[in-house]
Amino acid sequence: MNEQFSRQDRAATETPTTHFGFQTVSESEKAGKVAGVFHSVASRYDIMNDLMSGGLHRIWKAFTITRAAIRPGMKVLDIAGGTGDLASAFAKRAGPQGEVWLTDINSSMLGVGRDRLLDKGQVLPVAVCDAEHLPFPDQYFDRVSVAFGLRNMTHKDAALAEMRRVLKPGGKLLVLEFSRIAKPLAPAYDWYSFNILPWLGQKVAGDAESYRYLAESIRMHPDQDTLAEMLRTAGLERVQYFNLTAGLVALHEGVRLD
């Protein structure tokens, strides 16, 4: 009996853990660590994206914008929107009758994005918010997007469920994220990720560790088929994905039908 209670007591006091790159950390600790990464890199985020991807991130985002098929008057939510690339493009297509929200859990990233939009003459609603607890009504948006942000979320299933919740029936979710590159290219990609990325991070952003985390977080993120199944489990239908640059990145789509 005492042994049974002892096991129950240990289970009750165990702290839930998750991954931060290749490290195992408590769930409460991960949020702070991810925040630290993006506070650190916010001011150099765009130039590092260009350097790391050779400018390919612009092509990946352009494809996402095309697939989003934003029409005038639509309501759009961009989650983990960072420096505002997608939100800016969506707002142009939604027009003055539309409503496009730029959101991010990281205030430093959101500040950079807001300022960039203002410099372009675009005034959009912005909000610091957690994708796992979105502060929006049910069935409010025609489109929800998240680009290179899902892999940093602790409870991806909860975040995907929230994204579905705020979509209108017929609305589409778009998830652009690093994925599994074709196997023949994997060795070269691994060498680049764990050698060149931290070096670039140190030289350009003064932060090698954040870019080492980037490489690790990509390896810990679900592959294409697993993520597609997660979208289905969240209640999305017509789920499909598009491999971009040999699977280095994938765009997943899902539609809320009811």
Side-chain angles (χ1 to χ4, degrees):
M1 182 70 72
N2 289 338
E3 182 181 350
Q4 179 182 356
F5 282 132
S6 178
R7 287 197 301 269
Q8 290 174 343
D9 290 343
R10 285 198 300 271
T13 57
E14 284 177 356
T15 301
T17 60
T18 187
H19 58 82
F20 175 76
F22 292 160
Q23 301 176 47
T24 298
V25 299
S26 68
E27 289 186 354
S28 58
E29 187 181 5
K30 178 175 179 175
K33 284 182 171 291
V34 171
V37 166
F38 287 96
H39 284 310
S40 174
V41 304
S43 64
R44 295 284 183 171
Y45 186 77
D46 285 326
I47 189 171
M48 279 298 296
N49 278 350
D50 280 329
L51 291 172
M52 288 188 303
S53 71
L56 284 172
H57 76 101
R58 299 178 183 275
I59 297 173
W60 303 330
K61 290 172 181 174
F63 180 73
T64 303
I65 292 161
T66 299
R67 291 295 309 174
I70 306 297
R71 298 188 298 275
M74 276 189 169
K75 294 180 179 178
V76 184
L77 172 61
D78 187 24
I79 295 172
T83 53
D85 290 348
L86 290 182
S88 176
F90 292 156
K92 290 175 183 176
R93 287 156 179 77
Q97 302 306 314
E99 182 180 333
V100 178
W101 281 81
L102 170 63
T103 70
D104 203 295
I105 197 170
N106 188 277
S107 59
S108 296
M109 292 292 293
L110 193 64
V112 172
R114 176 203 59 210
D115 291 347
R116 283 189 62 195
L117 291 170
L118 290 174
D119 288 344
K120 295 178 180 180
Q122 292 179 294
V123 181
L124 304 184
V126 299
V128 175
C129 67
D130 182 348
E132 296 177 22
H133 306 282
L134 293 172
F136 299 103
D138 294 355
Q139 302 184 16
Y140 189 77
F141 292 101
D142 299 287
R143 299 286 186 272
V144 175
S145 68
V146 54
F148 306 114
L150 184 65
R151 74 179 186 283
N152 297 309
M153 297 174 191
T154 303
H155 304 105
K156 297 177 181 62
D157 52 350
L160 291 170
E162 275 289 270
M163 295 175 204
R164 180 193 180 277
R165 178 184 67 79
V166 301
L167 273 173
K168 296 177 181 178
K172 182 191 288 188
L173 169 66
L174 302 105
V175 181
L176 181 66
E177 188 56 89
F178 291 108
S179 200
R180 294 293 185 274
I181 198 166
K183 286 185 178 179
L185 301 176
Y189 178 51
D190 286 345
W191 182 87
Y192 173 80
S193 298
F194 291 104
N195 291 277
I196 301 302
L197 285 191
W199 179 83
L200 272 176
Q202 184 61 45
K203 292 295 183 182
V204 177
D207 185 349
E209 287 305 310
S210 290
Y211 287 91
R212 188 168 288 109
Y213 161 74
L214 168 65
E216 293 177 358
S217 69
I218 292 169
R219 273 65 182 182
M220 299 302 291
H221 187 66
D223 64 18
Q224 287 92 325
D225 290 328
T226 303
L227 183 54
E229 189 57 34
M230 291 175 70
L231 264 67
R232 295 186 188 99
T233 300
L236 294 156
E237 301 183 58
R238 297 180 185 169
V239 173
Q240 60 181 333
Y241 64 81
F242 303 88
N243 280 323
L244 307 176
T245 316
L248 172 62
V249 167
L251 174 66
H252 282 70
E253 297 180 358
V255 177
R256 176 175 181 166
L257 293 183
D258 62 344

